[in-house]
Amino acid sequence: MKISVLDQSPILSGMTPADAFQQTTELAKVADQLGFHRFWVAEHHSTKSLAGSSPEILATHLASQTEQIRIGTGGILLPHYSPYKIAEVFRVLETLYPGRIDLGVGRAPGGVPNVNLALNRGQLPSIEDYPAQLSELLSYLYGEDPHEMGIYASPKGEHSPPIWMLGSSGTSARVASELGVSYSFAHFINGHGGARAMRRYHDYFQPSVQQEAPCGNVSIFAVCAETDEHAEFLASSLDLAILKIEQGGLQQNFPTPEDALHYSYTMFEEQQIQDNRNRMVVGSPEKVKQEIEDLAHYYNVDEVIINTIVSPFEDRVKSYQLIAEAFQLKGAKRHVSF
C-alpha cells in the first residue's frame, strides 16, 4: 500500500508564516527520504493558522528541494482561476520535474466568504461551471484546443501531470468518474459517506485521455507516537483546533497540547470532539497502521494520505517517521535529519 502526505503549512504556536513554510520544506525532504509516495500542499486564504495560499508556487519550491517523491497540489481551487492558465502552470512544472507532478483540484471557497469575492473581482464563482472547467483543463493539459481558438497550453511535452479531483461528497465523485480523472476523498474533512462516494466513482468511471481505469485515494488526520498515551496527548491540540474551526474559525496559531489541557470544554464540545475523532487515527505505530489499513480496505483503495498537525514540529516529524517504519517504507530505516 502507498502512504502519502498532505501538508497544509500550519502555523504552530509561537511560529510565523515563514516558519510554517520552512517546516513544510523540511517535512517534504523527510517524506522524500522516508519513502512516502507523494506530498501535496493545500490552498487556503485569509487565515492566521494556515500559511499556504499559493500551492503551485510552494509545489515548485518543494520539487526543487526533493528528489523522488511526487509533488502536487491538494488542491488548486479551480473555480477561481482560468483552466488555460492552470494548464500552463502545470505544463511548466511537468517540464521542469517530469513524472513527479500531480495536479489536485477542488471547488471549495478556501477561506472566509469574502475570499470568493476577492479572488473573482467582486463576483461569486459559478459552481455550476466547475465540471466544464475541469473538462477544459483536461483538454488543455493534453495538448487539445477545446474552443478551437488556434491555441495550446505551452510548453507542450510528451507527458502531462495527472488531474486528481479532490472532494468530500458524492457530487465530486460523480464528476471525477464522468471526466475520467483520479479521485481523492477528504475523510479528514468529512468522516461520513466517503466509501459510498468512492464506490460511485468506481462504478461509473469512464476512460479518458488521462487514464483507462479508476484510481482513488483517501486522506485522513493521523497522530502517531511511541505510546497510545503520548499520541492522545499530542492529538488533543488537533482536537481543540478542529473544534475552534467548526465554531467559526481558528483566530490564531494552532494550539499546543498544553493549551488543550487547560481548556474548559463544555459537554457539547466534548461530544463534538468524539464525533470528530472519526476523521482521525491516533495511537502507537501498531494501532495507527491497523487503522490506516482498515480505512484503505473500507474505501477499496491502495493509497492513504495522512495529514499530521501537532506541536512541536519535532513531534510532527516523529509521527511521520513512526508511520513510515510501521509500513516498512523503503527509507524508513535511514537516518533522517532536519
Side-chain angles (χ1 to χ4, degrees), residues 218-295:
V218 58
S219 53
I220 191 168
F221 284 121
V223 179
C224 188
E226 295 284 3
T227 65
D228 290 343
E229 292 75 17
H230 190 53
E232 288 289 339
F233 172 71
L234 295 174
S236 65
S237 61
L238 183 55
D239 288 330
L240 179 58
I242 295 173
L243 180 67
K244 290 300 181 184
I245 290 169
E246 292 178 334
Q247 291 176 344
L250 195 61
Q251 300 302 318
Q252 54 189 359
N253 299 19
F254 272 84
T256 65
E258 290 76 17
D259 293 330
L261 185 65
H262 294 99
Y263 184 86
S264 296
Y265 296 93
T266 66
M267 186 179 302
F268 174 78
E269 288 174 332
E270 289 176 350
Q271 181 59 54
Q272 197 170 355
I273 284 174
Q274 289 306 309
D275 291 342
N276 285 335
R277 278 300 182 100
N278 187 50
R279 298 151 57 183
M280 303 166 61
V281 293
V282 178
S284 65
E286 297 78 13
K287 182 174 183 287
V288 167
K289 179 177 184 290
Q290 184 61 59
E291 292 191 15
I292 288 176
E293 289 176 338
D294 290 344
L295 184 74

Coordinates of all heavy atoms in Angstrom, one line a residue, residues 218-295:
V218 N -7.6 8.2 -0.3 CA -8.3 8.8 0.8 C -7.3 9.5 1.8 O -6.2 9.0 2.0 CB -9.2 7.8 1.5 CG1 -8.4 6.6 2.1 CG2 -10.0 8.5 2.7
S219 N -7.7 10.6 2.3 CA -6.8 11.4 3.2 C -7.5 11.5 4.6 O -8.7 11.6 4.7 CB -6.5 12.8 2.7 OG -7.7 13.5 2.4
I220 N -6.6 11.4 5.6 CA -7.1 11.4 7.0 C -6.1 12.1 7.9 O -4.9 12.1 7.6 CB -7.4 9.9 7.5 CG1 -8.1 9.9 8.8 CG2 -6.1 9.1 7.5 CD1 -8.7 8.6 9.2
F221 N -6.6 12.7 9.0 CA -5.7 13.1 10.0 C -5.0 11.9 10.7 O -5.7 10.9 11.0 CB -6.4 14.0 11.1 CG -6.8 15.4 10.7 CD1 -8.1 15.8 10.7 CD2 -5.8 16.3 10.3 CE1 -8.4 17.1 10.3 CE2 -6.1 17.6 9.9 CZ -7.4 18.0 9.9
A222 N -3.7 12.0 11.0 CA -3.1 10.9 11.8 C -2.1 11.5 12.8 O -1.4 12.5 12.4 CB -2.3 10.0 10.8
V223 N -2.1 11.0 14.0 CA -1.1 11.3 15.0 C -0.6 10.1 15.6 O -1.3 9.3 16.2 CB -1.8 12.2 16.1 CG1 -0.8 12.5 17.2 CG2 -2.4 13.4 15.5
C224 N 0.7 9.9 15.5 CA 1.4 8.7 15.9 C 2.5 9.0 16.9 O 3.3 10.0 16.6 CB 1.9 7.9 14.7 SG 2.6 6.2 15.1
A225 N 2.6 8.2 17.9 CA 3.7 8.4 18.9 C 4.1 7.0 19.4 O 3.5 6.0 19.1 CB 3.3 9.3 20.1
E226 N 5.1 7.0 20.2 CA 5.6 5.7 20.7 C 4.6 4.9 21.5 O 4.5 3.7 21.5 CB 6.9 5.9 21.6 CG 8.1 6.4 20.8 CD 8.8 5.4 20.0 OE1 8.3 4.2 19.9 OE2 9.8 5.7 19.4
T227 N 3.7 5.7 22.2 CA 2.7 5.0 23.0 C 1.3 5.7 22.7 O 1.3 6.8 22.2 CB 2.9 5.2 24.5 OG1 2.8 6.6 24.8 CG2 4.3 4.7 24.9
D228 N 0.2 4.9 22.9 CA -1.1 5.5 22.8 C -1.3 6.7 23.6 O -1.9 7.7 23.2 CB -2.2 4.4 23.1 CG -2.2 3.3 22.1 OD1 -1.7 3.4 21.0 OD2 -2.8 2.2 22.5
E229 N -0.8 6.7 24.8 CA -1.0 7.8 25.8 C -0.3 9.1 25.2 O -1.0 10.2 25.3 CB -0.4 7.5 27.1 CG -1.1 6.3 27.9 CD -0.8 5.0 27.3 OE1 0.2 4.8 26.6 OE2 -1.6 4.0 27.6
H230 N 0.9 9.0 24.7 CA 1.5 10.2 24.2 C 0.9 10.7 23.0 O 0.7 11.9 22.7 CB 3.0 10.0 24.0 CG 3.8 11.2 23.7 ND1 3.8 12.3 24.5 CD2 4.6 11.5 22.7 CE1 4.5 13.3 24.1 NE2 5.0 12.8 22.9
A231 N 0.4 9.8 22.1 CA -0.3 10.2 20.9 C -1.6 10.9 21.2 O -1.9 11.9 20.6 CB -0.6 8.9 20.1
E232 N -2.3 10.4 22.3 CA -3.5 11.1 22.7 C -3.2 12.5 23.2 O -4.0 13.5 22.9 CB -4.2 10.3 23.8 CG -4.9 9.0 23.3 CD -6.1 9.3 22.4 OE1 -6.7 10.4 22.6 OE2 -6.5 8.4 21.7
F233 N -2.1 12.6 23.9 CA -1.7 14.0 24.4 C -1.5 14.9 23.3 O -1.9 16.0 23.3 CB -0.5 13.8 25.3 CG 0.2 15.1 25.7 CD1 -0.5 15.9 26.6 CD2 1.4 15.5 25.2 CE1 0.1 17.2 27.0 CE2 2.0 16.7 25.5 CZ 1.3 17.5 26.5
L234 N -0.7 14.4 22.3 CA -0.4 15.3 21.1 C -1.7 15.6 20.3 O -1.9 16.8 19.9 CB 0.6 14.6 20.2 CG 2.0 14.4 20.8 CD1 2.8 13.5 19.8 CD2 2.7 15.7 21.1
A235 N -2.5 14.6 20.1 CA -3.7 14.8 19.3 C -4.7 15.8 20.0 O -5.6 16.3 19.3 CB -4.4 13.5 19.1
S236 N -4.6 16.0 21.3 CA -5.6 16.9 22.0 C -5.5 18.3 21.4 O -6.5 19.0 21.4 CB -5.3 16.9 23.5 OG -4.0 17.5 23.7
S237 N -4.3 18.7 20.9 CA -4.2 20.0 20.3 C -5.0 20.1 19.0 O -5.6 21.1 18.7 CB -2.8 20.4 20.2 OG -2.1 19.5 19.3
L238 N -4.9 19.0 18.2 CA -5.7 19.0 17.0 C -7.2 18.9 17.2 O -8.0 19.5 16.5 CB -5.2 17.8 16.1 CG -5.9 17.6 14.8 CD1 -5.7 18.8 13.9 CD2 -5.3 16.4 14.0
D239 N -7.6 18.2 18.3 CA -9.0 18.2 18.7 C -9.5 19.6 18.9 O -10.6 20.0 18.5 CB -9.2 17.4 20.0 CG -9.0 15.9 19.8 OD1 -9.3 15.4 18.7 OD2 -8.6 15.2 20.8
L240 N -8.7 20.4 19.7 CA -9.1 21.7 20.0 C -9.1 22.6 18.8 O -10.0 23.4 18.6 CB -8.1 22.3 21.1 CG -8.4 23.8 21.5 CD1 -9.8 23.9 22.1 CD2 -7.3 24.2 22.5
A241 N -8.1 22.4 17.9 CA -8.1 23.3 16.7 C -9.3 23.0 15.8 O -9.9 24.0 15.3 CB -6.8 22.9 15.9
I242 N -9.6 21.7 15.6 CA -10.8 21.4 14.7 C -12.1 22.0 15.4 O -12.9 22.5 14.7 CB -10.9 19.9 14.6 CG1 -9.7 19.4 13.8 CG2 -12.2 19.6 13.8 CD1 -9.7 17.9 13.7
L243 N -12.2 21.9 16.7 CA -13.3 22.4 17.4 C -13.5 23.9 17.1 O -14.6 24.4 16.8 CB -13.2 22.1 18.9 CG -14.3 22.6 19.8 CD1 -15.6 21.9 19.5 CD2 -13.9 22.5 21.3
K244 N -12.4 24.6 17.3 CA -12.4 26.1 17.1 C -12.7 26.4 15.6 O -13.4 27.4 15.3 CB -11.1 26.7 17.5 CG -10.8 26.7 19.0 CD -11.9 27.5 19.7 CE -11.7 27.5 21.2 NZ -12.8 28.2 21.9
I245 N -12.2 25.7 14.7 CA -12.5 25.9 13.3 C -14.0 25.7 13.0 O -14.7 26.5 12.3 CB -11.7 25.0 12.4 CG1 -10.2 25.3 12.4 CG2 -12.2 25.0 10.9 CD1 -9.3 24.3 11.8
E246 N -14.6 24.7 13.6 CA -16.0 24.5 13.4 C -16.9 25.5 14.1 O -18.0 25.7 13.8 CB -16.4 23.1 13.9 CG -15.8 22.0 13.1 CD -16.1 20.6 13.6 OE1 -16.3 20.5 14.9 OE2 -16.1 19.6 12.8
Q247 N -16.3 26.2 15.1 CA -17.1 27.2 15.8 C -16.9 28.6 15.2 O -17.4 29.6 15.7 CB -16.6 27.3 17.3 CG -17.0 26.1 18.1 CD -16.4 26.1 19.5 OE1 -15.5 26.9 19.8 NE2 -17.0 25.3 20.4
G248 N -16.3 28.6 14.0 CA -16.2 29.9 13.3 C -14.9 30.3 12.9 O -14.7 31.4 12.4
G249 N -13.9 29.5 13.1 CA -12.6 29.8 12.6 C -11.5 29.8 13.7 O -11.8 30.4 14.8
L250 N -10.4 29.3 13.4 CA -9.2 29.4 14.3 C -8.6 30.8 14.1 O -8.1 31.1 13.1 CB -8.2 28.3 14.0 CG -7.1 28.0 15.0 CD1 -7.8 27.5 16.3 CD2 -6.2 26.9 14.5
Q251 N -8.7 31.6 15.2 CA -8.3 33.0 15.1 C -6.9 33.3 15.2 O -6.4 34.4 15.1 CB -9.1 33.8 16.1 CG -10.6 33.7 15.9 CD -11.1 34.2 14.5 OE1 -10.6 35.2 14.0 NE2 -12.0 33.4 13.9
Q252 N -6.1 32.3 15.6 CA -4.7 32.4 15.8 C -3.9 31.1 15.4 O -4.5 30.2 14.8 CB -4.4 32.8 17.2 CG -5.0 31.9 18.2 CD -4.9 32.4 19.7 OE1 -4.4 33.5 19.9 NE2 -5.4 31.6 20.6
N253 N -2.7 31.1 15.8 CA -1.9 29.9 15.5 C -2.5 28.6 16.1 O -3.3 28.7 17.0 CB -0.4 30.0 16.1 CG 0.3 31.2 15.4 OD1 -0.3 32.1 14.9 ND2 1.6 31.2 15.6
F254 N -2.1 27.5 15.6 CA -2.6 26.2 16.1 C -2.2 26.1 17.6 O -1.1 26.4 18.0 CB -2.0 25.0 15.3 CG -2.9 24.7 14.1 CD1 -2.7 25.4 12.9 CD2 -3.8 23.7 14.2 CE1 -3.5 25.1 11.8 CE2 -4.6 23.4 13.1 CZ -4.5 24.1 11.9
P255 N -3.1 25.6 18.4 CA -2.8 25.4 19.8 C -1.8 24.3 20.1 O -1.6 23.4 19.3 CB -4.2 25.1 20.4 CG -4.9 24.4 19.3 CD -4.5 25.1 18.0
T256 N -1.3 24.3 21.3 CA -0.4 23.3 21.8 C -1.2 22.3 22.6 O -2.3 22.5 23.0 CB 0.7 23.9 22.7 OG1 0.1 24.4 23.9 CG2 1.5 25.0 21.9
P257 N -0.6 21.1 22.9 CA -1.3 20.2 23.8 C -1.5 20.8 25.2 O -2.5 20.5 25.8 CB -0.3 19.0 23.9 CG 0.4 19.0 22.6 CD 0.6 20.5 22.3
E258 N -0.6 21.6 25.6 CA -0.8 22.3 26.9 C -2.0 23.2 26.9 O -2.7 23.3 27.9 CB 0.5 23.1 27.3 CG 1.7 22.2 27.6 CD 2.4 21.6 26.4 OE1 2.1 22.0 25.3 OE2 3.1 20.6 26.6
D259 N -2.2 23.9 25.7 CA -3.4 24.7 25.6 C -4.7 23.9 25.7 O -5.6 24.3 26.4 CB -3.4 25.4 24.2 CG -2.3 26.4 24.1 OD1 -1.9 27.0 25.1 OD2 -1.9 26.6 22.9
A260 N -4.7 22.7 25.1 CA -5.8 21.8 25.1 C -6.0 21.3 26.6 O -7.2 21.1 27.0 CB -5.6 20.7 24.2
L261 N -4.9 21.0 27.3 CA -5.0 20.5 28.6 C -5.7 21.5 29.6 O -6.4 21.1 30.5 CB -3.6 20.2 29.1 CG -3.5 19.5 30.5 CD1 -4.1 18.1 30.4 CD2 -2.0 19.4 30.9
H262 N -5.5 22.8 29.3 CA -6.0 23.8 30.2 C -7.3 24.4 29.7 O -7.9 25.3 30.3 CB -5.0 24.9 30.4 CG -3.8 24.5 31.2 ND1 -2.6 24.1 30.5 CD2 -3.6 24.2 32.5 CE1 -1.7 23.8 31.4 NE2 -2.3 23.8 32.6
Y263 N -7.9 23.9 28.6 CA -9.1 24.4 28.0 C -10.3 23.8 28.8 O -10.3 22.6 29.0 CB -9.2 24.1 26.5 CG -10.4 24.7 25.8 CD1 -10.4 26.0 25.4 CD2 -11.6 24.0 25.7 CE1 -11.4 26.6 24.7 CE2 -12.7 24.5 25.1 CZ -12.6 25.8 24.6 OH -13.7 26.4 23.9
S264 N -11.3 24.6 29.1 CA -12.5 24.1 29.8 C -13.6 23.8 28.7 O -14.2 24.6 28.2 CB -13.0 25.1 30.8 OG -12.1 25.4 31.8
Y265 N -13.8 22.5 28.5 CA -14.7 22.0 27.5 C -16.1 21.9 28.0 O -16.3 21.4 29.2 CB -14.3 20.6 26.9 CG -13.0 20.7 26.2 CD1 -11.8 20.4 26.8 CD2 -12.9 21.0 24.8 CE1 -10.6 20.4 26.1 CE2 -11.7 21.0 24.1 CZ -10.5 20.7 24.8 OH -9.3 20.8 24.1
T266 N -17.1 22.3 27.3 CA -18.5 22.0 27.7 C -18.8 20.6 27.3 O -18.1 19.9 26.5 CB -19.5 22.9 26.9 OG1 -19.4 22.6 25.5 CG2 -19.1 24.4 27.1
M267 N -19.9 20.1 27.8 CA -20.4 18.7 27.5 C -20.6 18.6 26.0 O -20.3 17.6 25.4 CB -21.6 18.4 28.2 CG -22.1 16.9 28.1 SD -23.6 16.5 29.0 CE -23.0 17.0 30.7
F268 N -21.2 19.6 25.3 CA -21.4 19.6 23.9 C -20.1 19.5 23.1 O -19.9 18.8 22.2 CB -22.2 20.8 23.5 CG -22.4 21.0 22.0 CD1 -23.3 20.2 21.3 CD2 -21.6 21.8 21.3 CE1 -23.4 20.3 19.9 CE2 -21.7 21.9 19.9 CZ -22.6 21.2 19.2
E269 N -19.1 20.3 23.6 CA -17.8 20.3 22.9 C -17.1 19.0 23.0 O -16.4 18.5 22.1 CB -16.9 21.4 23.5 CG -17.4 22.8 23.1 CD -16.6 23.9 23.7 OE1 -16.1 23.7 24.9 OE2 -16.4 25.0 23.2
E270 N -17.2 18.3 24.2 CA -16.6 17.0 24.4 C -17.2 16.0 23.4 O -16.5 15.2 22.8 CB -16.7 16.6 25.8 CG -15.9 17.4 26.8 CD -16.1 16.9 28.2 OE1 -17.1 16.2 28.5 OE2 -15.3 17.4 29.1
Q271 N -18.5 16.1 23.2 CA -19.2 15.2 22.3 C -18.8 15.5 20.8 O -18.6 14.6 20.0 CB -20.7 15.3 22.4 CG -21.5 14.4 21.5 CD -21.2 12.9 21.7 OE1 -21.3 12.5 22.9 NE2 -20.8 12.2 20.7
Q272 N -18.6 16.8 20.5 CA -18.2 17.2 19.2 C -16.8 16.6 18.9 O -16.5 16.2 17.8 CB -18.2 18.7 19.1 CG -18.2 19.2 17.7 CD -18.5 20.7 17.6 OE1 -18.8 21.3 18.7 NE2 -18.4 21.3 16.5
I273 N -15.9 16.7 19.9 CA -14.6 16.1 19.7 C -14.6 14.6 19.5 O -13.9 14.1 18.6 CB -13.7 16.5 21.0 CG1 -13.3 17.9 21.0 CG2 -12.4 15.6 21.0 CD1 -12.6 18.4 22.2
Q274 N -15.4 13.9 20.2 CA -15.6 12.5 20.0 C -16.1 12.2 18.6 O -15.6 11.3 17.9 CB -16.5 11.9 21.0 CG -15.9 11.8 22.4 CD -14.5 11.1 22.4 OE1 -14.4 10.0 21.9 NE2 -13.5 11.8 23.0
D275 N -17.0 13.0 18.1 CA -17.5 12.8 16.7 C -16.4 13.1 15.7 O -16.3 12.4 14.7 CB -18.7 13.8 16.5 CG -19.9 13.4 17.2 OD1 -20.0 12.3 17.7 OD2 -20.8 14.3 17.4
N276 N -15.6 14.1 16.0 CA -14.5 14.4 15.0 C -13.4 13.4 15.0 O -12.7 13.3 14.0 CB -13.9 15.8 15.4 CG -14.8 17.0 15.0 OD1 -15.6 16.9 14.1 ND2 -14.7 18.1 15.7
R277 N -13.3 12.6 16.0 CA -12.3 11.5 16.0 C -12.5 10.5 14.9 O -11.6 9.7 14.6 CB -12.3 10.8 17.4 CG -11.5 11.6 18.4 CD -10.0 11.7 18.0 NE -9.2 12.4 19.0 CZ -8.4 11.8 19.8 NH1 -8.3 10.4 19.8 NH2 -7.7 12.4 20.7
N278 N -13.7 10.5 14.3 CA -14.0 9.7 13.1 C -13.1 10.1 11.9 O -12.9 9.3 11.0 CB -15.4 9.7 12.8 CG -15.8 8.7 11.7 OD1 -15.4 7.5 11.8 ND2 -16.5 9.2 10.6
R279 N -12.6 11.3 12.0 CA -11.8 11.8 10.9 C -10.3 11.7 11.2 O -9.4 12.2 10.5 CB -12.1 13.3 10.7 CG -13.5 13.6 10.3 CD -14.0 14.9 10.8 NE -13.2 16.1 10.3 CZ -13.5 17.3 10.6 NH1 -14.5 17.6 11.5 NH2 -12.7 18.3 10.2
M280 N -9.9 11.0 12.3 CA -8.5 10.9 12.7 C -8.2 9.5 13.1 O -9.0 8.7 13.5 CB -8.3 11.8 14.0 CG -8.7 13.2 13.8 SD -8.8 14.1 15.4 CE -7.1 13.9 16.0
V281 N -6.9 9.1 13.0 CA -6.3 7.9 13.6 C -5.2 8.4 14.5 O -4.4 9.2 14.2 CB -5.8 6.9 12.5 CG1 -6.9 6.4 11.7 CG2 -4.7 7.6 11.6
V282 N -5.3 7.9 15.8 CA -4.4 8.3 16.8 C -3.9 7.1 17.6 O -4.7 6.2 18.0 CB -5.2 9.3 17.8 CG1 -4.2 9.7 18.9 CG2 -5.7 10.5 17.0
G283 N -2.6 7.0 17.8 CA -2.1 6.0 18.7 C -0.7 5.6 18.4 O 0.1 6.3 17.7
S284 N -0.3 4.4 18.9 CA 1.0 3.8 18.7 C 1.2 3.4 17.2 O 0.2 3.3 16.5 CB 1.2 2.6 19.6 OG 0.3 1.6 19.2
P285 N 2.4 3.1 16.8 CA 2.6 2.7 15.4 C 1.7 1.5 15.0 O 1.1 1.5 13.9 CB 4.1 2.4 15.3 CG 4.7 3.3 16.4 CD 3.7 3.3 17.5
E286 N 1.6 0.5 15.9 CA 0.8 -0.7 15.5 C -0.7 -0.3 15.4 O -1.3 -0.8 14.4 CB 1.0 -1.7 16.6 CG 2.4 -2.2 16.8 CD 3.3 -1.3 17.5 OE1 2.8 -0.3 18.2 OE2 4.6 -1.5 17.5
K287 N -1.2 0.5 16.3 CA -2.6 0.9 16.2 C -2.9 1.7 15.0 O -3.9 1.5 14.3 CB -2.9 1.7 17.5 CG -4.4 2.1 17.6 CD -4.7 2.7 19.0 CE -6.1 3.1 19.1 NZ -6.5 4.3 18.3
V288 N -2.0 2.7 14.7 CA -2.2 3.6 13.6 C -2.1 2.8 12.3 O -2.9 3.0 11.4 CB -1.2 4.8 13.6 CG1 -1.2 5.5 12.3 CG2 -1.5 5.7 14.7
K289 N -1.2 1.9 12.2 CA -1.0 1.1 11.0 C -2.3 0.3 10.7 O -2.8 0.2 9.6 CB 0.2 0.1 11.1 CG 0.4 -0.8 9.9 CD 1.7 -1.6 10.0 CE 1.9 -2.4 8.8 NZ 1.0 -3.5 8.6
Q290 N -2.8 -0.3 11.7 CA -4.0 -1.2 11.6 C -5.2 -0.3 11.1 O -6.0 -0.7 10.3 CB -4.3 -1.9 12.9 CG -5.5 -2.9 12.8 CD -5.3 -4.0 11.8 OE1 -4.3 -4.7 11.9 NE2 -6.1 -4.1 10.8
E291 N -5.4 0.8 11.7 CA -6.5 1.7 11.4 C -6.4 2.3 10.0 O -7.4 2.4 9.3 CB -6.7 2.8 12.4 CG -7.1 2.2 13.8 CD -7.5 3.3 14.8 OE1 -7.7 4.5 14.3 OE2 -7.6 3.1 16.0
I292 N -5.2 2.6 9.6 CA -5.0 3.0 8.2 C -5.3 1.9 7.2 O -5.9 2.2 6.2 CB -3.5 3.6 8.0 CG1 -3.4 4.9 8.7 CG2 -3.2 3.8 6.5 CD1 -2.0 5.5 8.7
E293 N -4.8 0.7 7.5 CA -5.1 -0.4 6.6 C -6.6 -0.7 6.6 O -7.2 -1.0 5.5 CB -4.4 -1.7 7.1 CG -2.9 -1.6 6.9 CD -2.1 -2.8 7.4 OE1 -2.7 -3.5 8.4 OE2 -1.0 -3.1 7.0
D294 N -7.3 -0.6 7.7 CA -8.7 -0.7 7.7 C -9.4 0.3 6.9 O -10.4 0.0 6.2 CB -9.3 -0.7 9.2 CG -8.8 -1.9 10.0 OD1 -8.4 -2.9 9.4 OD2 -8.9 -1.8 11.3
L295 N -8.9 1.6 7.0 CA -9.5 2.6 6.2 C -9.4 2.4 4.7 O -10.3 2.6 3.9 CB -8.9 4.0 6.6 CG -9.4 5.2 5.9 CD1 -10.8 5.6 6.5 CD2 -8.5 6.4 6.0

